[in-house]
Amino acid sequence: TITAKPQTITYGESISNTTNDITVEGLVTNHSVTAITLTPSTSAYTTNGKITPSAATVKVGNTTVTSNYSISWVDGTLKINKKSVAVTWTNTTLTYNNANQKPTASATGVTGETINLTVSGEKKDVGSNYSATVTCASVTGGGKDCNNYTLTNTSTTFKINAYNINTTKVTIASIPDQTYTGSKIEPTL
């Protein structure tokens, strides 16, 4: 009987796949399992997955004797934890523009997948200490499942500053003494 040992990994990792990851019962003395294939039931977050052993090679010395055995296989348990991913916030200081605004969030530390985020808490008016939060909207590539991740740093504060109206300062160089002539007089700029 070959039994796969239980394993716990984090999403994105691979299970260990060696002869140290099985227990073996019933072999003749000096015979040993030298190779094994272990197949996980899933690569996604799970608390009750399984690991199925197969394709064992049994040897005595350098001689393969696998065909002399009728092997019983017993699955092992598999737990895949969610991967923790930090949210990075940018554009937390905004300027009033007469439209709803919110900061920008992105997920960092993800390989082979893109986590698409939804930011809530948009505001329109000038103010400080506004609060924004983020959730996973979808995942593209790979497992395509938000449930594989735990987001950290999921909220931030932001502010909207007043719009600065820039006025152009005009300096009149001089208005010389004029005598009324009935015509329009233009100042010198």
XYZ file of all heavy atoms in Angstrom, residues 61-169:
804
model
N 18.057 -2.970 -5.204
C 19.328 -2.567 -5.805
C 19.035 -1.734 -7.041
O 18.279 -0.763 -6.981
N 19.605 -2.118 -8.201
C 19.363 -1.413 -9.460
C 18.322 -2.097 -10.332
O 18.088 -1.693 -11.465
C 20.667 -1.267 -10.250
C 21.627 -0.301 -9.570
O 21.184 0.675 -8.970
N 22.921 -0.577 -9.671
N 17.719 -3.164 -9.811
C 16.755 -3.933 -10.589
C 15.327 -3.488 -10.277
O 14.920 -3.443 -9.110
C 16.889 -5.448 -10.281
O 18.235 -5.850 -10.533
C 15.946 -6.263 -11.135
N 14.571 -3.183 -11.318
C 13.169 -2.792 -11.153
C 12.314 -4.040 -10.982
O 12.373 -4.963 -11.809
C 12.684 -1.987 -12.368
O 13.491 -0.820 -12.489
C 11.228 -1.572 -12.211
N 11.515 -4.042 -9.903
C 10.676 -5.208 -9.601
C 9.207 -4.796 -9.404
O 8.425 -5.533 -8.794
C 11.202 -5.950 -8.345
C 12.556 -6.590 -8.626
C 11.272 -5.014 -7.144
N 8.841 -3.667 -9.950
C 7.481 -3.138 -9.768
C 6.423 -4.136 -10.207
O 5.357 -4.265 -9.576
C 7.305 -1.817 -10.558
O 8.377 -0.941 -10.244
C 5.984 -1.143 -10.221
N 6.660 -4.848 -11.299
C 5.661 -5.777 -11.842
C 5.353 -6.929 -10.888
O 4.360 -7.635 -11.069
C 6.130 -6.326 -13.197
O 7.348 -7.044 -13.035
N 6.174 -7.128 -9.868
C 5.931 -8.194 -8.885
C 4.939 -7.776 -7.799
O 4.605 -8.575 -6.923
C 7.242 -8.626 -8.220
C 8.196 -9.274 -9.214
O 7.772 -10.010 -10.101
N 9.475 -8.977 -9.082
N 4.471 -6.530 -7.848
C 3.585 -6.007 -6.808
C 2.227 -5.605 -7.382
O 2.143 -5.070 -8.481
C 4.208 -4.769 -6.139
C 5.370 -5.098 -5.236
C 6.676 -5.089 -5.718
C 5.155 -5.427 -3.902
C 7.745 -5.388 -4.892
C 6.223 -5.729 -3.069
C 7.516 -5.705 -3.569
O 8.576 -6.018 -2.741
N 1.201 -5.881 -6.614
C -0.126 -5.326 -6.866
C -0.312 -4.232 -5.821
O -0.493 -4.523 -4.636
C -1.193 -6.411 -6.710
O -2.470 -5.849 -6.866
N -0.214 -2.992 -6.274
C -0.142 -1.859 -5.346
C -1.532 -1.295 -5.083
O -2.307 -1.048 -6.012
C 0.783 -0.763 -5.898
C 2.201 -1.326 -6.095
C 0.797 0.460 -4.985
C 3.156 -0.377 -6.803
N -1.842 -1.076 -3.813
C -3.048 -0.349 -3.417
C -2.650 1.102 -3.191
O -1.613 1.381 -2.589
C -3.629 -0.927 -2.129
O -4.010 -2.268 -2.322
N -3.498 2.021 -3.651
C -3.188 3.440 -3.565
C -4.149 4.115 -2.591
O -5.349 3.878 -2.627
C -3.339 4.119 -4.930
C -2.570 3.429 -6.035
C -3.062 2.559 -6.946
C -1.185 3.572 -6.324
N -2.071 2.149 -7.804
C -0.896 2.764 -7.435
C -0.142 4.304 -5.756
C 0.367 2.658 -7.997
C 1.121 4.207 -6.315
C 1.370 3.390 -7.416
N -3.617 4.986 -1.740
C -4.441 5.735 -0.795
C -4.115 7.222 -0.957
O -2.951 7.626 -0.838
C -4.206 5.296 0.667
C -5.054 6.143 1.623
C -4.494 3.809 0.831
N -5.165 8.003 -1.214
C -4.978 9.446 -1.391
C -4.585 10.103 -0.068
O -4.998 9.667 1.005
C -6.267 10.117 -1.886
C -6.618 9.710 -3.310
O -5.719 9.246 -4.034
O -7.800 9.862 -3.686
N -3.809 11.161 -0.181
C -3.495 12.001 0.967
C -4.325 13.277 0.912
O -4.912 13.604 -0.122
N -4.366 14.013 2.001
C -5.139 15.260 2.036
C -4.270 16.430 1.567
O -3.058 16.442 1.750
C -5.674 15.549 3.444
O -4.566 15.604 4.355
C -6.638 14.472 3.886
N -4.940 17.399 0.971
C -4.255 18.589 0.453
C -5.016 19.823 0.906
O -6.222 19.938 0.711
C -4.200 18.560 -1.079
C -3.664 19.820 -1.769
C -2.218 20.085 -1.385
C -3.807 19.696 -3.284
N -4.272 20.753 1.496
C -4.836 22.053 1.854
C -4.032 23.112 1.121
O -2.802 23.136 1.203
C -4.756 22.281 3.362
C -5.325 23.615 3.796
C -5.243 23.799 5.302
C -5.787 25.149 5.722
N -5.645 25.384 7.170
N -4.728 23.974 0.379
C -4.069 25.080 -0.323
C -4.588 26.375 0.272
O -5.779 26.691 0.166
C -4.321 25.036 -1.839
C -3.813 23.714 -2.420
C -3.646 26.227 -2.536
C -4.045 23.546 -3.914
N -3.705 27.100 0.935
C -4.070 28.369 1.554
C -4.140 29.483 0.515
O -3.467 29.426 -0.524
C -3.051 28.751 2.633
C -3.062 27.787 3.800
O -4.112 27.336 4.235
N -1.886 27.456 4.296
N -4.919 30.506 0.821
C -4.978 31.677 -0.045
C -3.652 32.422 0.000
O -2.994 32.455 1.036
C -6.103 32.612 0.403
C -7.480 32.008 0.282
C -8.547 32.996 0.706
C -9.926 32.384 0.583
N -11.008 33.361 0.749
N -3.280 33.004 -1.123
C -2.057 33.810 -1.171
C -2.373 35.230 -0.711
O -3.353 35.830 -1.153
C -1.488 33.837 -2.588
C -0.194 34.626 -2.683
C 0.441 34.519 -4.044
C 1.752 35.285 -4.052
N 2.499 35.105 -5.292
N -1.545 35.739 0.168
C -1.716 37.108 0.658
C -1.083 38.081 -0.337
O 0.077 37.921 -0.722
C -1.057 37.239 2.032
O -1.214 38.530 2.528
N -1.868 39.072 -0.749
C -1.408 40.042 -1.742
C -1.661 41.447 -1.219
O -2.768 41.774 -0.792
C -2.149 39.847 -3.089
C -1.761 40.921 -4.086
C -1.852 38.470 -3.651
N -0.637 42.277 -1.257
C -0.742 43.653 -0.764
C -1.316 44.571 -1.842
O -0.995 44.452 -3.023
C 0.624 44.167 -0.331
N -2.176 45.483 -1.412
C -2.718 46.505 -2.300
C -1.859 47.760 -2.170
O -1.524 48.187 -1.064
C -4.182 46.832 -1.935
C -4.691 48.026 -2.748
C -5.064 45.610 -2.150
N -1.473 48.340 -3.297
C -0.717 49.591 -3.331
C -1.646 50.701 -3.790
O -2.338 50.562 -4.809
C 0.479 49.476 -4.300
O 1.333 48.417 -3.864
C 1.264 50.767 -4.352
N -1.657 51.791 -3.031
C -2.527 52.939 -3.338
C -1.712 54.081 -3.947
O -0.621 54.385 -3.471
C -3.209 53.442 -2.069
C -4.206 52.488 -1.506
C -3.986 51.548 -0.529
C -5.578 52.365 -1.871
N -5.137 50.859 -0.264
C -6.139 51.332 -1.078
C -6.395 53.014 -2.789
C -7.468 50.952 -1.174
C -7.722 52.631 -2.888
C -8.249 51.613 -2.096
N -2.259 54.717 -4.978
C -1.658 55.918 -5.568
C -2.775 56.942 -5.814
O -3.960 56.618 -5.715
C -0.945 55.606 -6.901
O -1.867 54.959 -7.783
C 0.264 54.699 -6.681
N -2.375 58.151 -6.157
C -3.334 59.242 -6.427
C -4.270 59.478 -5.244
O -5.488 59.562 -5.405
C -4.152 58.964 -7.697
C -3.278 58.842 -8.924
O -2.295 59.545 -9.057
N -3.627 57.937 -9.809
N -3.682 59.590 -4.046
C -4.501 59.835 -2.857
C -4.681 61.322 -2.570
O -5.416 61.687 -1.663
C -3.879 59.144 -1.622
O -2.532 59.582 -1.471
C -3.918 57.629 -1.763
N -4.011 62.180 -3.349
C -4.237 63.628 -3.277
C -4.718 64.080 -4.646
O -3.984 64.011 -5.629
C -2.949 64.374 -2.878
O -2.519 63.911 -1.599
C -3.192 65.875 -2.810
N -5.972 64.506 -4.693
C -6.617 64.854 -5.954
C -6.996 66.334 -5.956
O -6.942 66.993 -4.913
C -7.867 63.989 -6.148
C -7.615 62.474 -6.105
C -8.893 61.711 -5.884
C -6.929 62.013 -7.378
N -7.381 66.852 -7.102
C -7.811 68.245 -7.231
C -9.244 68.270 -7.744
O -9.599 67.516 -8.660
C -6.882 68.997 -8.202
O -5.545 68.945 -7.688
C -7.301 70.460 -8.331
N -10.045 69.120 -7.155
C -11.464 69.241 -7.537
C -11.605 69.450 -9.041
O -10.906 70.254 -9.645
C -12.096 70.435 -6.804
C -13.515 70.701 -7.211
C -14.547 69.906 -6.731
C -13.819 71.737 -8.089
C -15.863 70.138 -7.122
C -15.125 71.979 -8.482
C -16.148 71.174 -8.004
O -17.441 71.403 -8.390
N -12.530 68.672 -9.653
C -12.764 68.801 -11.093
C -14.247 68.685 -11.453
O -14.590 68.420 -12.596
C -11.944 67.764 -11.870
C -12.411 66.344 -11.594
O -13.340 66.121 -10.821
N -11.763 65.385 -12.222
N -15.117 68.828 -10.453
C -16.563 68.757 -10.652
C -17.032 67.372 -11.084
O -18.069 67.220 -11.718
C -17.045 69.817 -11.651
C -18.555 70.037 -11.554
O -19.122 69.938 -10.466
N -19.193 70.324 -12.672
N -16.244 66.331 -10.748
C -16.623 64.950 -11.055
C -16.236 64.064 -9.868
O -15.371 64.428 -9.063
C -15.914 64.476 -12.314
N -16.886 62.920 -9.754
C -16.516 61.969 -8.708
C -15.107 61.464 -8.949
O -14.739 61.152 -10.085
C -17.493 60.798 -8.667
C -18.817 61.166 -8.054
O -18.876 61.983 -7.141
N -19.890 60.577 -8.553
N -14.330 61.370 -7.868
C -12.945 60.912 -7.960
C -12.649 59.925 -6.829
O -13.309 59.922 -5.802
C -11.983 62.091 -7.846
C -12.142 63.133 -8.925
C -11.099 64.215 -8.785
O -9.979 64.064 -9.262
N -11.447 65.302 -8.102
N -11.634 59.134 -7.038
C -11.177 58.180 -6.026
C -9.715 57.858 -6.304
O -9.233 58.053 -7.423
C -12.031 56.917 -6.070
C -12.033 56.219 -7.425
C -13.106 55.161 -7.515
C -13.183 54.598 -8.937
N -14.321 53.703 -9.100
N -9.000 57.351 -5.298
C -7.607 56.972 -5.537
C -7.522 55.728 -6.424
O -8.530 55.091 -6.715
C -7.067 56.708 -4.126
C -8.252 56.498 -3.267
C -9.405 57.174 -3.917
N -6.315 55.393 -6.802
C -6.055 54.226 -7.648
C -5.420 53.128 -6.806
O -4.550 53.390 -5.982
C -5.101 54.608 -8.799
O -5.678 55.702 -9.523
C -4.872 53.441 -9.735
N -5.870 51.879 -7.023
C -5.319 50.736 -6.280
C -4.828 49.683 -7.250
O -5.400 49.476 -8.322
C -6.385 50.136 -5.370
N -3.732 49.026 -6.878
C -3.222 47.910 -7.677
C -2.725 46.820 -6.736
O -2.327 47.099 -5.607
C -2.097 48.371 -8.607
O -1.025 48.911 -7.862
N -2.776 45.587 -7.207
C -2.316 44.444 -6.411
C -0.900 44.095 -6.829
O -0.607 43.998 -8.021
C -3.246 43.251 -6.616
N -0.020 43.923 -5.856
C 1.379 43.627 -6.152
C 1.751 42.250 -5.632
O 1.133 41.729 -4.715
C 2.302 44.680 -5.512
O 2.047 44.712 -4.097
C 2.038 46.063 -6.078
N 2.756 41.657 -6.237
C 3.240 40.359 -5.781
C 2.521 39.184 -6.403
O 2.519 38.080 -5.869
N 1.913 39.384 -7.567
C 1.190 38.319 -8.252
C 1.966 37.935 -9.510
O 2.393 38.792 -10.267
C -0.232 38.784 -8.634
C -0.990 37.674 -9.337
C -0.986 39.256 -7.403
N 2.150 36.630 -9.729
C 2.874 36.150 -10.896
C 1.937 35.343 -11.783
O 1.276 34.429 -11.312
C 4.064 35.263 -10.478
O 4.901 36.011 -9.593
C 4.865 34.814 -11.673
N 1.866 35.682 -13.064
C 1.079 34.910 -14.014
C -0.400 35.228 -14.024
O -1.147 34.651 -14.805
N -0.842 36.111 -13.161
C -2.238 36.507 -13.099
C -2.319 38.006 -12.864
O -1.372 38.614 -12.373
C -2.980 35.779 -11.974
C -3.069 34.287 -12.155
C -3.905 33.598 -11.088
O -4.178 34.182 -10.025
O -4.291 32.456 -11.336
N -3.453 38.586 -13.204
C -3.710 39.995 -12.918
C -4.961 40.091 -12.078
O -6.018 39.574 -12.461
C -3.900 40.795 -14.221
O -2.704 40.680 -15.013
C -4.172 42.261 -13.924
N -4.846 40.727 -10.921
C -6.004 40.932 -10.057
C -6.611 42.287 -10.405
O -5.951 43.319 -10.301
C -5.609 40.889 -8.573
C -5.030 39.513 -8.222
C -6.812 41.206 -7.690
C -4.551 39.393 -6.798
N -7.851 42.255 -10.855
C -8.571 43.483 -11.199
C -9.363 43.926 -9.974
O -10.140 43.144 -9.414
C -9.506 43.225 -12.383
C -8.739 42.665 -13.571
O -7.812 43.281 -14.059
N -9.111 41.479 -14.012
N -9.143 45.170 -9.558
C -9.713 45.662 -8.310
C -10.846 46.653 -8.558
O -10.854 47.361 -9.553
C -8.619 46.336 -7.477
C -7.408 45.469 -7.136
C -6.343 46.298 -6.445
C -7.818 44.290 -6.271
N -11.782 46.691 -7.621
C -12.837 47.696 -7.616
C -12.639 48.585 -6.399
O -12.588 48.091 -5.269
C -14.231 47.042 -7.540
O -14.422 46.236 -8.704
C -15.326 48.102 -7.476
N -12.499 49.898 -6.651
C -12.318 50.872 -5.568
C -13.658 51.547 -5.290
O -14.319 52.025 -6.207
C -11.250 51.929 -5.936
C -11.116 52.967 -4.826
C -9.906 51.258 -6.215
N -14.066 51.572 -4.027
C -15.304 52.232 -3.607
C -14.969 53.429 -2.727
O -13.924 53.465 -2.099
C -16.169 51.256 -2.815
O -16.464 50.114 -3.577
N -15.902 54.391 -2.675
C -15.725 55.546 -1.801
C -15.444 56.834 -2.538
O -14.936 57.789 -1.961
N -15.794 56.897 -3.811
C -15.505 58.104 -4.591
C -16.247 59.317 -4.031
O -17.335 59.200 -3.472
C -15.857 57.888 -6.066
C -17.289 57.550 -6.322
C -17.545 57.167 -7.774
O -16.583 56.863 -8.509
O -18.716 57.178 -8.154
N -15.606 60.461 -4.191
C -16.163 61.732 -3.705
C -16.008 62.793 -4.785
O -15.127 62.706 -5.649
C -15.442 62.194 -2.428
C -15.577 61.246 -1.251
C -16.988 61.156 -0.745
C -17.074 60.215 0.450
N -18.432 59.966 0.887
N -16.853 63.843 -4.671
C -16.831 64.913 -5.669
C -16.302 66.220 -5.101
O -15.570 66.946 -5.774
C -18.241 65.124 -6.216
C -18.362 66.218 -7.255
C -19.798 66.325 -7.767
C -19.938 67.425 -8.796
N -21.317 67.537 -9.289
N -16.674 66.531 -3.869
C -16.374 67.846 -3.298
C -15.011 67.902 -2.620
O -14.449 66.878 -2.229
C -17.462 68.228 -2.295
C -18.819 68.388 -2.967
O -18.849 68.853 -4.122
O -19.835 68.018 -2.345
N -14.525 69.122 -2.440
C -13.268 69.349 -1.737
C -13.404 68.838 -0.302
O -14.428 69.044 0.348
C -12.924 70.856 -1.738
C -11.741 71.143 -0.821
C -12.640 71.327 -3.157
N -12.387 68.127 0.166
C -12.404 67.623 1.535
C -11.201 66.750 1.794
O -10.488 66.346 0.876
N -10.965 66.461 3.060
C -9.854 65.587 3.432
C -10.384 64.465 4.306
O -11.515 64.483 4.770
C -8.778 66.386 4.178
O -9.331 66.948 5.348
N -9.552 63.457 4.494
C -9.908 62.309 5.326
C -11.052 61.497 4.751
O -11.795 60.858 5.482
C -10.237 62.758 6.756
C -9.457 61.946 7.761
O -8.526 61.255 7.410
N -9.861 62.036 9.003
N -11.229 61.538 3.444
C -12.167 60.632 2.796
C -11.600 59.221 2.886
O -10.391 59.015 2.976
C -12.359 61.003 1.325
C -13.146 62.273 1.085
C -12.756 63.173 0.102
C -14.295 62.564 1.807
C -13.478 64.329 -0.158
C -15.028 63.717 1.570
C -14.616 64.592 0.595
O -15.335 65.730 0.345
N -12.464 58.219 2.820
C -12.025 56.830 2.929
C -12.396 56.064 1.666
O -13.509 56.198 1.150
C -12.677 56.167 4.146
O -12.256 54.831 4.247
N -11.445 55.272 1.169
C -11.681 54.406 0.007
C -11.339 52.973 0.392
O -10.419 52.734 1.178
C -10.833 54.852 -1.175
N -12.087 52.026 -0.152
C -11.822 50.605 0.084
C -11.745 49.883 -1.250
O -12.220 50.380 -2.277
C -12.929 49.962 0.947
O -14.184 50.129 0.281
C -12.986 50.577 2.329
N -11.159 48.700 -1.220
C -10.967 47.944 -2.450
C -11.387 46.492 -2.245
O -11.260 45.948 -1.146
C -9.490 48.032 -2.912
C -8.575 47.246 -2.004
C -9.331 47.568 -4.348
N -11.919 45.895 -3.316
C -12.231 44.468 -3.341
C -11.735 43.889 -4.657
O -11.510 44.618 -5.630
C -13.746 44.207 -3.218
O -14.419 44.920 -4.265
C -14.278 44.647 -1.860
N -11.589 42.581 -4.688
C -11.195 41.902 -5.924
C -12.428 41.767 -6.810
O -13.442 41.202 -6.405
C -10.624 40.517 -5.598
S -10.142 39.573 -7.066
N -12.340 42.312 -8.026
C -13.458 42.224 -8.975
C -13.356 40.966 -9.825
O -14.344 40.281 -10.068
C -13.483 43.463 -9.861
N -12.141 40.667 -10.262
C -11.913 39.487 -11.102
C -10.415 39.232 -11.195
O -9.605 40.066 -10.802
C -12.498 39.694 -12.505
O -11.815 40.744 -13.166
N -10.083 38.071 -11.727
C -8.679 37.707 -11.957
C -8.565 37.218 -13.389
O -9.378 36.407 -13.842
C -8.214 36.604 -10.981
C -6.783 36.178 -11.283
C -8.334 37.079 -9.536
N -7.579 37.726 -14.107
C -7.343 37.252 -15.467
C -6.059 36.441 -15.493
O -5.111 36.728 -14.770
C -7.244 38.425 -16.465
O -6.271 39.363 -15.995
C -8.576 39.137 -16.597
N -6.044 35.399 -16.325
C -4.910 34.493 -16.387
C -4.972 33.483 -15.267
O -5.712 33.637 -14.296
N -4.218 32.413 -15.376
C -4.109 31.437 -14.294
C -5.438 30.890 -13.820
O -6.288 30.484 -14.593
N -5.634 30.902 -12.490
C -6.825 30.319 -11.881
C -8.081 31.136 -12.033
O -9.183 30.635 -11.850
N -7.958 32.415 -12.359
C -9.094 33.299 -12.629
C -10.114 33.322 -11.490
O -11.310 33.373 -11.726
C -9.778 32.898 -13.935
C -8.867 33.006 -15.141
C -9.584 32.664 -16.422
C -8.630 32.778 -17.613
N -9.236 32.409 -18.870
N -9.643 33.304 -10.241
C -10.573 33.254 -9.116
C -10.079 34.145 -7.979
O -8.992 33.922 -7.438
C -10.711 31.808 -8.635
C -11.803 31.621 -7.604
O -12.409 32.624 -7.162
O -12.055 30.464 -7.235
N -10.896 35.124 -7.592
C -10.554 35.995 -6.460
C -10.389 35.204 -5.170
O -9.663 35.619 -4.270
C -11.654 37.047 -6.268
S -11.686 38.325 -7.547
N -11.065 34.068 -5.076
C -11.045 33.271 -3.852
C -9.665 32.683 -3.546
O -9.424 32.185 -2.453
C -12.091 32.151 -3.942
C -12.520 31.658 -2.576
O -12.625 32.435 -1.633
N -12.756 30.372 -2.475
N -8.734 32.750 -4.496
C -7.377 32.247 -4.269
C -6.504 33.245 -3.510
O -5.381 32.928 -3.150
C -6.697 31.898 -5.595
C -7.332 30.693 -6.255
O -7.719 29.737 -5.582
N -7.445 30.731 -7.565
N -7.034 34.453 -3.275
C -6.235 35.526 -2.695
C -6.882 36.135 -1.459
O -8.105 36.200 -1.350
C -6.016 36.649 -3.726
C -5.207 36.214 -4.921
C -5.826 35.846 -6.112
C -3.818 36.147 -4.849
C -5.080 35.436 -7.206
C -3.069 35.735 -5.941
C -3.707 35.385 -7.116
O -2.953 34.980 -8.195
N -6.035 36.601 -0.565
C -6.450 37.450 0.541
C -5.757 38.790 0.339
O -4.522 38.847 0.296
C -6.026 36.856 1.906
O -6.684 35.603 2.086
C -6.388 37.794 3.040
N -6.544 39.847 0.176
C -5.968 41.173 -0.025
C -5.661 41.821 1.315
O -6.440 41.704 2.266
C -6.934 42.062 -0.805
C -7.292 41.610 -2.220
C -8.312 42.553 -2.839
C -6.050 41.522 -3.098
N -4.516 42.503 1.399
C -4.157 43.280 2.578
C -4.048 44.752 2.186
O -3.922 45.074 1.000
C -2.836 42.804 3.200
O -1.778 42.977 2.235
C -2.903 41.329 3.596
N -4.089 45.639 3.168
C -4.049 47.092 2.931
C -5.217 47.511 2.030
O -5.049 48.204 1.032
C -2.704 47.503 2.316
C -2.492 49.001 2.339
O -2.943 49.692 3.237
N -1.805 49.508 1.324
N -6.423 47.067 2.406
C -7.597 47.236 1.543
C -8.317 48.571 1.715
O -9.367 48.776 1.109
C -8.601 46.096 1.781
O -8.945 46.073 3.174
C -8.022 44.763 1.349
N -7.798 49.466 2.533
C -8.426 50.789 2.653
C -7.361 51.864 2.777
O -6.220 51.587 3.167
C -9.365 50.833 3.864
O -8.629 50.661 5.051
N -7.753 53.083 2.407
C -6.841 54.220 2.507
C -7.669 55.487 2.678
O -8.881 55.480 2.444
C -5.932 54.342 1.266
O -4.893 55.285 1.525
C -6.716 54.794 0.038
N -7.014 56.542 3.089
C -7.670 57.845 3.120
C -7.171 58.656 1.926
O -6.070 58.419 1.415
C -7.368 58.605 4.425
O -5.951 58.747 4.559
C -7.940 57.855 5.626
N -8.010 59.600 1.489
C -7.583 60.475 0.394
C -8.238 61.835 0.573
O -9.131 62.006 1.403
C -7.917 59.867 -0.974
C -9.376 59.798 -1.324
C -9.946 60.718 -2.189
C -10.194 58.794 -0.814
C -11.282 60.655 -2.541
C -11.542 58.715 -1.163
C -12.093 59.644 -2.019
N -7.737 62.802 -0.178
C -8.301 64.155 -0.090
C -8.453 64.748 -1.471
O -7.776 64.345 -2.424
C -7.434 65.047 0.795
C -6.033 65.313 0.270
C -5.260 66.193 1.248
C -3.843 66.442 0.770
N -3.106 67.332 1.688
N -9.364 65.713 -1.543
C -9.569 66.469 -2.775
C -9.308 67.935 -2.449
O -9.994 68.535 -1.612
C -10.999 66.282 -3.327
C -11.248 64.803 -3.648
C -11.199 67.150 -4.578
C -12.652 64.493 -4.108
N -8.279 68.469 -3.069
C -7.918 69.867 -2.854
C -8.762 70.784 -3.731
O -9.289 70.368 -4.768
C -6.432 70.099 -3.169
C -5.529 69.417 -2.168
O -5.873 69.284 -0.996
N -4.364 68.970 -2.629
N -8.858 72.044 -3.311
C -9.591 73.049 -4.089
C -8.879 73.284 -5.418
O -7.658 73.209 -5.517
C -9.686 74.351 -3.301
N -9.671 73.579 -6.428
C -9.119 73.917 -7.735
C -8.538 75.318 -7.668
O -9.176 76.251 -7.184
C -10.218 73.853 -8.797
C -9.739 74.163 -10.185
C -9.060 73.210 -10.927
C -9.956 75.416 -10.756
C -8.618 73.477 -12.213
C -9.514 75.697 -12.042
C -8.846 74.730 -12.763
O -8.400 74.994 -14.027
N -7.312 75.469 -8.122
C -6.631 76.758 -8.073
C -6.855 77.496 -9.391
O -6.395 77.061 -10.438
C -5.137 76.546 -7.817
C -4.386 77.845 -7.642
O -4.994 78.890 -7.426
N -3.070 77.776 -7.740
N -7.587 78.596 -9.321
C -7.816 79.394 -10.523
C -6.618 80.315 -10.703
O -6.365 81.204 -9.885
C -9.107 80.218 -10.414
C -10.300 79.273 -10.248
C -9.276 81.119 -11.616
C -11.606 79.983 -10.010
N -5.873 80.092 -11.748
C -4.704 80.929 -12.032
C -5.150 82.147 -12.819
O -5.711 82.042 -13.892
C -3.658 80.156 -12.838
C -3.038 79.055 -12.022
O -2.820 79.237 -10.831
N -2.779 77.908 -12.648
N -4.898 83.323 -12.283
C -5.215 84.556 -13.003
C -3.925 85.144 -13.550
O -2.873 85.055 -12.929
C -5.889 85.582 -12.074
O -5.040 85.836 -10.970
C -7.239 85.083 -11.585
N -4.022 85.716 -14.716
C -2.859 86.364 -15.308
C -2.853 87.817 -14.861
O -3.825 88.536 -15.053
C -2.913 86.285 -16.842
O -3.005 84.915 -17.212
C -1.692 86.925 -17.454
N -1.771 88.176 -14.248
C -1.658 89.544 -13.749
C -1.218 90.453 -14.891
O -0.245 90.185 -15.577
C -0.635 89.580 -12.612
C -0.567 90.906 -11.914
C 0.383 90.813 -10.743
C 0.441 92.122 -9.997
N 1.370 92.060 -8.876
